Amino acid sequence: MASPSLFSFFLLPILLSLSPTLSTNSEGNALHSLRSRLSDPTNILQSWDPTLVNPCTWFHVTCDSNNHVVRLDLANSNISGSLGPELGELKHLQYLELYRNNFGGKIPMELGNLKNLISMDLYANRFEGKIPKSFAKLKSLRFLRLNDNKLTGSIPRELTTLSNLKVFDVSNNDLCGTIPVDGPFGSFPMESYENNRLSGPELKGLVPYDFGC
Amino acid sequence: MSSIYICHFLLFFSVLCAAFSVNFGDDTTDSYWLLRTKSEFVDPVGVLDNWSPRTSLCTWYGVTCSDDQTHVMGLNLSGSGLSGAISPEFSRLTSLQTFDLSSNFLSGLIPPELGQLQNLRELLLYSNSLSSNVPAEIGLLKNLQVLRIGDNMLTGQVNANVGNLTELRVLGLAYCQLNGSIPAEIGNLKHLQSLDLQKNSLSGLIPQEISGCIELQNFAASNNRLEGRIPASIGKLESLQILNLANNSLSGSIPIELGFLSNLKYLNLAGNRLNGEIPSELNQLVQLERLDLSKNSLSGTINIVNTHLKNIEVLVLSDNSLTGSTPRDLCIPNSSLHQLFLARNNLSGNFPLGLLNCSWLQELDLSDNNFVGVLPSGLDKLENLTDLLLNNNSFSGTIPLEIGNMSNLMTFYLFGNMITGRSIPVEIGKLQRLSVLYLYDNQISGTIPRELTNCSSLTAIDFFGNHLKGSIPATIGKLKNLVFLLLRQNELSGSIPPSLGYCTKLQNLVLADNRLSGTLPPTFRFLSELFLITLYNNSFEGPLPESISLLKNLSIINFSHNRFSGSVFPLSGSNSLSRLDLTNNSFSGPIPSELAMSRNLTRLRLAYNFLNGPIPPELGKLTELNFLDLSFNNFTGELAPELSNCRKLGHLLLKNNRFSGTVPPWLGSLRELGELDLSYNIFNGTVPTELGNCSRLLKLSLDSNYLSGDIPPELGNLNSLNVLNLQRNNLSGSIPLTFQQCKKLYELRLSQNLLNGSIPPGLGTLSELQVILDLSENLLSGEIPWSLGNVVKLERLNLSFNQLTGEIPQSLGKLSSLHRLNLSNNHLHGQLPPTFSGFPLSSFLGNEKLCGPPLIPCSESKGQERKWLSNTAVAWIIVAIVFTSTMICLVLIYIMLRIWCTWRKISISSSDNEDLGNNRGEEKWDFEDEVRNCDDWNMNTMALVPSQDKQIFAFSCSK
């Protein structure tokens, strides 16, 4: 039983000493909680010290002049584990480079909160589940590479509103339905869709886009 | 005959023995055996000194005699400082009824022979260091009523024959390392009143036979590995007063039968995997004083009501998934509830007003729930409250003024809510016992009331992340007990009151991210306990008081982004520094070599100041140094070789200074180096090949110096490298072919050097190049390699101001990520890939012979008239060329054959093959000559991309 003495003499000093770091530095906390989900066999996250004022001096993290995280480079590092909602806290992130690892689980919909994201490279991992519809909020996104994963479901039609999208690659997944033709999707090569269960370009009004899903 | 002999011999022997052992007394007496057991004990205090044949047995320490003074009935050596072992010969004390060796330092086994003590009623061996198993012979002690052998190092299982001890009242086996399961035979112990199995490694189910212990009052099996459901049969234990099954792996729901335990006073099921709702039947436990169901997965609403549980004093339901609001009648007037913990659930609704009836409440924890609304003004009805924890909810409104009446309050957590209000109420100043006040992460505005400094017991204040304005109260120095003062991220202005220096117990001072100004008061010299001080992002100015050097406990200092000036020296007084950050101030003068006294310094950041002089060689003593940032200062001189001792350097940032000399080769010995930035200095000489040893390097920036010579191919060994910047130097030679090994490069800048030769096609294998590939303003010649079209993620490509020739490979048109391109000012020609039409004209200017959108259409160029040659014409030309070539070949073969025949006549020993080879070479050369008649015709391109290259071929041949 949490006796009063235990509470006030043991727990309190701990809370007391933690409090200064608990609620400051939201981007550092977000990255630190990401780290706690990951297995990092090559120890590339060793420098991620949560007691620093911000994460700007951590390796594989790049900040702008206002100490906001703009790049996260964890590619090619044998990392496994899943992403969590906390990544959505990195409001200033422009480059999310997590390709060629063993990341698994679902892509959190909170990644749709990364309003400044230019490039999201999640290719060559083990991500599963659907492509989040929330990606339609990524109005700055130019490059979206999700190829070589285990993604299922259809290509969300909401993504056709991403007017800046230049590169879209979902090849080698397990997607179904038809391929959008609106917006930037008019210009992506067919190689971007290879090796899925996709059934050709959308025929509007004839079949629903997620036909066969 | 022989038997008679033996009898005689035995008789003789026993007499002999008796004679020898005369000083031990008669071997049939208890005193004889007690003296023998004494020899097994180690008795440092000497409690057994009066155990001697010369005194009467009954006067011996710890001995209780029988009425006839001949037998030992009881032996109590508890807490006598004895070590050593328990002698098996205690088993000779056959009259022994109570045997107490508890709370000593005895080790070794529990002697199995103790099973012979058939009169034994109490065996107390607890709190020793006894090891091994509990001997099965204990099960022979039929008269045993009390067996307490816990708090030892006993291992093995609980023997099933413990069920034979049918007289047992108390069984204590706690705090050992027993494993296995609880034997079902325990149910045979009809008279058992107390069963204590806590803190072992017992596993398996709780046997439902436990219900056989009908007299059981206390059942404690917490901190084991028990699993499965709690048996409903426990509900039959009507005498039970204490049930403690906490910290096991019990699952399922709480059996409603527990509601039958009408005598239960203490119920603890915390730290299991129980789910389902809290059964309302628990409300029948009218005697219950303490109920702890925390750290389970219980769901549903709280239906424990005080109207039934009239005696409840402590109620702990924290760390579950309970929902809904708290019941109105959780508290009744004059309730005896002292402690109520509901933290970390999903409770919602307003602050439960019913709680205000609990006037005896001392601790209330509602933290980490979803409570909303304002805090009630009647909060002060809880006048006995010492700890009020409301953090991490969504409470809004202001802090009620009545808080000032809660005169017993010691701890008040309100952080992580949406508290607003124009200020912290001045009434808070009445709280003479308040020790911890955490209001951080709210939206409180207004000023910090001066009255707060009347709270003389305050040890910790955290107001981080509010909108507090005004100045820090001038009377802050009255808080003599203050240890933590955290006011970060508010809108505080004014200067630091000098009285703060009188808070002499202060350890952590965090005033960062405010609008504070002025200088540091000289009274800071009294803060001798100060360990951490962070003042970053304010407008502090002026020189630091020299007396700060008296603060010997300073470990973490962050004064960055202020306007402090003068010398850094006052901060070098402590030799406990671990982190020092003075980035972006106006400090001047040299780095004090005294900083090297802090051997645990890991981070030294002095960038953006006006510091000058060389790096003191003494810094080489900082063997723990990981981060050294001296960028943007006026440092001069060469890098002292002593710095090579800083083996743990991960970041070495020296950009924008006036460091000179060569880039030292010892940098290659810093194996932890991840970031090296020497840019914008006046380094000269070559790039040391040793840098190729820094295998963990991620960013290497040597740009904007006076480096010359070749780029060492060893840089290709840096296979972790992400960023390489060598631009703006005088580097010459060609781009090393080894760069293609740097597979993780995403940024490569070699511009503004004197690099010559061609672009290595291997750069095309750097498939992760993304940010930029900048080779501009060099002397690069040759063609753009076709392979660059493989760098599909590249976003910026700058090859301008070189001497590149040939056509732009069509493969570059596939660079779909490219959005900045500069190929201007080269000697390129031919048609642009169609996908380049979106780039501005400036991307291609200064290449006179390029055409196609956005440049002039190729049809308007000089080759216009021949551009539209028909396919038949092209075919004819090809046929003509092939025909001519074939004819030439035939002629050559003919000549060759003639020469060969002639030679053969002269000398038979000539080598045939060699000649053939030579002639083949000539043939090829001739063919190429033929081709060269048509300027820059590239056979390969034509072969690979037939349809478009026909046009190019026509165009280029037309010149």
Side-chain angles (χ1 to χ4, degrees), chain B residues 89-260:
Chain B
E89 289 169 343
F90 276 116
S91 62
R92 305 292 185 136
L93 304 170
T94 49
S95 304
L96 206 58
Q97 292 183 357
T98 60
F99 184 31
D100 186 355
L101 298 181
S102 63
S103 303
N104 282 295
F105 305 98
L106 301 169
S107 53
L109 310 176
I110 298 175
E113 292 82 353
L114 294 187
Q116 298 165 26
L117 296 170
Q118 285 301 310
N119 291 310
L120 204 60
R121 294 194 181 153
E122 294 186 17
L123 176 57
L124 309 175
L125 304 178
Y126 61 89
S127 298
N128 278 291
S129 301
L130 301 169
S131 54
S132 194
N133 294 351
V134 181
E137 288 78 358
I138 296 289
L140 302 172
L141 299 169
K142 300 283 187 214
N143 291 309
L144 204 61
Q145 294 179 1
V146 179
L147 175 60
R148 296 181 61 190
I149 55 177
D151 192 16
N152 277 295
M153 297 185 290
L154 300 170
T155 54
Q157 304 201 344
V158 181
N159 204 305
N161 65 11
V162 75
N164 301 339
L165 303 174
T166 50
E167 293 299 314
L168 214 54
R169 265 64 171 174
V170 177
L171 176 56
L173 298 172
Y175 294 90
C176 287
Q177 294 150 27
L178 300 170
N179 54 35
S181 54
I182 302 173
E185 290 77 2
I186 210 107
N188 300 341
L189 307 178
K190 305 289 178 209
H191 301 296
L192 197 64
Q193 291 167 3
S194 175
L195 174 59
D196 192 351
L197 304 172
Q198 299 183 76
K199 205 97 170 95
N200 278 289
S201 302
L202 298 170
S203 55
L205 305 176
I206 299 173
Q208 59 178 6
E209 290 81 357
I210 191 88
S211 59
C213 307
I214 47 171
E215 292 182 19
L216 201 60
Q217 294 171 13
N218 170 26
F219 178 29
S222 62
N223 294 292
N224 278 289
R225 298 173 194 163
L226 299 170
E227 56 199 23
R229 293 173 164 267
I230 299 171
S233 61
I234 285 188
K236 295 177 187 164
L237 299 172
E238 286 177 17
S239 306
L240 208 58
Q241 293 176 12
I242 295 174
L243 177 59
N244 185 355
L245 303 176
N247 299 318
N248 280 288
S249 302
L250 299 168
S251 54
S253 54
I254 299 173
I256 57 171
E257 288 80 359
L258 293 190
F260 303 148

Side-chain angles (χ1 to χ4, degrees), chain B residues 487-673:
Chain B
L487 303 177
R488 204 194 129 190
Q489 208 169 313
N490 277 286
E491 293 154 31
L492 297 169
S493 54
S495 53
I496 297 179
S499 81
L500 185 60
Y502 303 124
C503 302
T504 51
K505 290 186 181 170
L506 203 60
Q507 291 176 10
N508 286 22
L509 176 60
V510 179
L511 304 178
D513 293 312
N514 275 292
R515 296 170 192 166
L516 296 164
S517 56
T519 56
L520 289 194
T523 51
F524 265 38
R525 68 177 179 276
F526 301 123
L527 299 175
S528 56
E529 304 282 314
L530 201 61
F531 171 84
L532 177 150
I533 176 168
T534 64
L535 305 177
Y536 54 87
N537 294 337
N538 278 291
S539 302
F540 291 112
E541 60 191 9
L544 304 174
E546 279 186 27
S547 56
I548 283 194
S549 60
L550 298 171
L551 306 183
K552 301 294 182 194
N553 287 311
L554 270 178
S555 175
I556 300 175
I557 300 175
N558 191 337
F559 288 178
S560 60
H561 306 286
N562 278 289
R563 296 200 294 268
F564 284 116
S565 58
S567 172
V568 175
F569 182 79
L571 297 176
S572 60
S574 163
N575 51 18
S576 315
L577 284 180
S578 64
R579 298 174 184 176
L580 175 59
D581 190 345
L582 305 179
T583 305
N584 195 9
N585 277 284
S586 301
F587 286 108
S588 55
I591 300 177
S593 58
E594 287 79 359
L595 277 182
M597 308 272 278
S598 293
R599 291 297 157 78
N600 290 320
L601 195 63
T602 57
R603 295 169 74 87
L604 179 56
R605 305 190 64 180
L606 304 175
Y608 294 94
N609 278 290
F610 302 110
L611 299 167
N612 57 27
I615 303 178
E618 289 84 354
L619 293 196
K621 295 176 187 165
L622 298 172
T623 50
E624 296 297 313
L625 197 64
N626 171 262
F627 201 111
L628 180 58
D629 185 0
L630 305 179
S631 326
F632 293 93
N633 278 288
N634 299 322
F635 291 111
T636 52
E638 302 194 3
L639 300 185
E642 287 83 353
L643 292 177
S644 64
N645 296 325
C646 304
R647 296 276 168 182
K648 293 190 178 170
L649 266 180
H651 306 252
L652 181 54
L653 311 176
L654 305 178
K655 75 185 292 186
N656 284 76
N657 279 288
R658 285 183 283 129
F659 288 114
S660 56
T662 56
V663 176
W666 53 256
L667 288 172
S669 65
L670 301 176
R671 295 301 163 86
E672 299 290 316
L673 211 55

Side-chain angles (χ1 to χ4, degrees), chain B residues 675-691:
Chain B
E675 188 179 9
L676 176 60
D677 193 342
L678 305 182
S679 58
Y680 292 92
N681 278 290
I682 44 180
F683 287 109
N684 56 35
T686 57
V687 178
T689 57
E690 288 82 354
L691 280 185

Side-chain angles (χ1 to χ4, degrees), chain A residues 4 16 23 51 57 95 145, chain B residues 339 363 438 441 579 603 795:
Chain A
L16 210 79
S23 52
T51 67
T57 57
Y95 287 83
R145 303 182 183 98
Chain B
Q339 293 162 2
E363 290 174 53
Y438 285 172
D441 271 331
R579 298 174 184 176
R603 295 169 74 87
E795 295 172 22

Side-chain angles (χ1 to χ4, degrees), chain B residues 422-437:
Chain B
R422 263 180 261 137
S423 72
I424 299 165
V426 296
E427 285 77 3
I428 217 161
K430 294 194 276 180
L431 302 177
Q432 288 301 304
R433 295 191 181 173
L434 191 65
S435 171
V436 180
L437 179 59

Side-chain angles (χ1 to χ4, degrees), chain B residues 298-314:
Chain B
L298 299 170
S299 54
T301 56
I302 299 175
N303 46 15
I304 302 290
V305 288
N306 202 192
T307 43
H308 293 93
L309 301 180
K310 288 196 168 59
N311 292 307
I312 193 89
E313 291 174 9
V314 178

Side-chain angles (χ1 to χ4, degrees), chain A residues 1 4 7 12 16 19-20 23-24 49 51 53 57 59 71 76 95 97 99 121 123 143 145 166, chain B residues 268 292 339 363 389 413 438 440-441 462 488 536 579 603 627 651 768 770-771 793 795 817-818:
Chain A
M1 174 144 331
F7 186 78
L12 274 189
L16 210 79
S19 81
S23 52
T24 66
D49 177 356
T51 67
V53 174
T57 57
F59 285 132
R71 273 194 85 104
N76 289 307
Y95 287 83
E97 306 295 321
Y99 55 91
D121 285 328
Y123 59 91
F143 312 108
R145 303 182 183 98
K166 287 189 75 179
Chain B
N268 190 349
D292 189 345
Q339 293 162 2
E363 290 174 53
L389 279 55
Y413 286 3
Y438 285 172
Y440 62 85
D441 271 331
D462 192 344
R488 204 194 129 190
Y536 54 87
R579 298 174 184 176
R603 295 169 74 87
F627 201 111
H651 306 252
E768 283 159 27
Q770 182 185 31
V771 174
K793 290 175 69 179
E795 295 172 22
S817 307
L818 206 59

